[in-house]
Amino acid sequence: MEVFEMKKVDLNYILEKVKNGEKLSRTALYDYPMANIAEKAGIEIINVGDTMAKYVLGYDNTNKVGMDILVEHAKAVRKGAPNAFVMGDMPFLSYRNIDVAIENAGRFIVEADVDAVKLEGGLEIIPIIKALTDAGIAVIGHTGFSLQSRQIGLGKTDEEKAKDFLKICREMEKAGVIAIVYTEVPIEVAKQNYEEATVPIFAAGCGEYTNSPMMNFYELLGFTEKRRKFAKAYDNLLEKSIEATKRFVEEVKRGEIK
């Protein structure tokens, strides 16, 4: 088996790839074994996301995980993928004001050695992004459909929503983000933002208008029974894992395991 020998992926690496028109591979995962697999396969960017609540802990929303859980999992991911660019999701209520945001983002940087933190929201989080970047913390902005708050202050009509979305992206850039994340924004809006952006765009489900497409690691490996409409399973490890475990159970029942 050939293992990919990855060089350290830092912001300069990302910017060079973007400048050269090369796409960057990106996934979301939450533990050491998965991170180890991802790095050996050549995944460049890993998001330790609050989606862990759904994919690992079985909750129906992402607000069930806090800083302690995410920091511990980010530590494990960093150990498994020492050369990947790792970003940590700031969970619900962890950046409710500037002081709290700096303290919690600092935990990600110092304790888990992540390369950047990711904040979800709209114009209301611009002052927090600015404070974090002023403190020397690399920030990735996440806007569009927000998993945490379910709303980000977009207008009611499609035209208003597009205008507000583009404004949020530009304000995030002014505040110092190193990249912007969003998912399933209408193609025409994604195209306009991609062409106007001054930072890398980490969009998923937006066609070609992204520097770094993303797929959750559990979805791409086929560990989930359901997938988002833009996700692709490259194998069916759920079925294979069940079958392997069934063989173990059968051998136990036959007395073959000593």
Side-chain angles (χ1 to χ4, degrees):
M1 179 185 68
E2 184 178 354
V3 176
F4 186 84
E5 295 294 334
M6 181 182 289
K7 296 180 180 179
K8 175 60 183 173
V9 180
D10 56 15
L11 181 57
N12 288 331
Y13 174 103
I14 292 171
L15 293 176
E16 186 66 22
K17 294 290 185 181
V18 171
K19 179 182 177 181
N20 294 335
E22 299 178 52
K23 301 290 187 182
L24 293 139
S25 54
R26 183 167 56 96
T27 192
L29 53 80
Y30 320 100
D31 58 38
Y32 174 86
M34 292 295 188
N36 189 35
I37 293 168
E39 176 153 318
K40 287 179 177 178
I43 292 285
E44 294 155 296
I45 302 172
I46 296 174
N47 181 28
V48 184
D50 55 8
T51 47
M52 178 198 320
K54 173 183 176 183
Y55 288 100
V56 174
L57 302 179
Y59 293 116
D60 60 1
N61 70 73
T62 61
N63 296 349
K64 300 293 187 179
V65 292
M67 280 301 302
D68 289 344
I69 292 175
L70 278 163
V71 167
E72 286 303 314
H73 280 263
K75 289 180 185 178
V77 169
R78 174 50 81 201
K79 291 176 183 176
N83 294 308
F85 188 93
V86 177
M87 67 175 92
D89 268 12
M90 296 285 284
F92 184 60
L93 296 179
S94 69
Y95 49 101
R96 58 189 179 272
N97 60 54
I98 288 173
D99 290 341
V100 170
I102 291 175
E103 179 181 357
N104 285 326
R107 288 191 62 192
F108 261 134
I109 301 296
V110 175
E111 296 179 37
D113 195 27
V114 303
D115 297 287
V117 298
K118 180 168 74 67
L119 278 67
E120 294 182 12
L123 294 177
E124 78 284 353
I125 67 168
I126 298 302
I128 295 174
I129 291 174
K130 182 67 165 57
L132 291 175
T133 58
D134 285 348
I137 296 171
V139 177
I140 294 172
H142 182 174
T143 192
F145 177 72
S146 174
L147 292 174
Q148 289 178 3
S149 65
R150 303 291 175 184
Q151 60 179 349
I152 57 163
L154 298 184
K156 295 181 179 180
T157 68
D158 289 344
E159 184 177 353
E160 289 173 339
K161 288 178 181 178
K163 182 179 178 181
D164 291 343
F165 170 78
L166 293 169
K167 181 178 180 180
I168 290 167
C169 289
R170 301 294 78 78
E171 290 300 318
M172 284 184 168
E173 291 170 353
K174 292 176 185 177
V177 298
I178 62 168
I180 298 175
V181 170
Y182 48 84
T183 303
E184 295 184 280
V185 168
I187 290 295
E188 63 276 10
V189 182
K191 180 178 185 294
Q192 182 177 348
N193 189 63
Y194 183 69
E195 292 171 348
E196 293 178 356
T198 60
V199 298
I201 296 299
F202 293 173
C206 296
E208 65 185 287
Y209 304 112
T210 178
N211 300 116
S212 181
M214 194 280 283
M215 204 170 299
N216 186 282
F217 211 54
Y218 285 80
E219 289 180 328
L220 75 87
L221 292 178
F223 270 119
T224 59
E225 294 177 333
K226 296 180 180 179
R227 297 189 303 275
R228 291 167 293 178
K229 62 184 180 181
F230 66 86
K232 176 182 178 181
Y234 291 81
D235 209 324
N236 189 341
L237 295 193
L238 175 61
E239 183 177 307
K240 289 181 177 180
S241 298
I242 293 171
E243 289 303 316
T245 307
K246 284 170 65 177
R247 292 198 299 272
F248 165 72
V249 172
E250 290 166 359
E251 290 186 8
V252 169
K253 298 299 184 183
R254 292 195 298 264
E256 296 176 10
I257 304 297
K258 306 295 185 182

